[in-house]
Amino acid sequence: KTCSECGTVKTKLSLSERTFNCDACGVVIDRDLNAAINIHKLALKEIEIGGWEEEKEWRAEAITQIVFQ
């Protein structure tokens, strides 16, 4: 329910809606791609606060590969 572009959260999003339309910023994106981008951003954020200094770059690349393959 969160816009991957601006972060606005929709109050309602039915499972039958396959396209995510943000009323705040106007982005129109496939619902699954929107969710994947949000998961990707969250994973990268976790890496940043996780303290894995030696592995940050490798983990970020690995997560990007997994989410967008």
Side-chain angles (χ1 to χ4, degrees):
K1 293 183 181 183
T2 302
C3 177
S4 61
E5 189 68 28
C6 72
T8 299
V9 179
K10 291 186 110 175
T11 55
K12 208 172 175 188
L13 184 64
S14 70
L15 288 174
S16 63
E17 291 180 68
R18 301 312 308 155
T19 302
F20 183 90
N21 298 292
C22 181
D23 298 329
C25 72
V27 75
V28 177
I29 188 172
D30 177 79
R31 177 191 181 128
D32 294 335
L33 179 56
N34 185 64
I37 292 168
N38 285 331
I39 292 167
H40 181 250
K41 286 180 178 180
L42 180 62
L44 292 177
K45 189 179 195 180
E46 289 297 316
I47 287 172
E48 287 301 312
I49 63 172
W52 305 311
E53 292 302 323
E54 303 88 34
E55 298 180 22
K56 278 185 182 178
E57 189 174 318
W58 177 85
R59 288 178 185 263
E61 180 61 30
I63 289 169
T64 300
Q65 294 283 331
I66 290 166
V67 170
F68 293 107
Q69 275 189 333

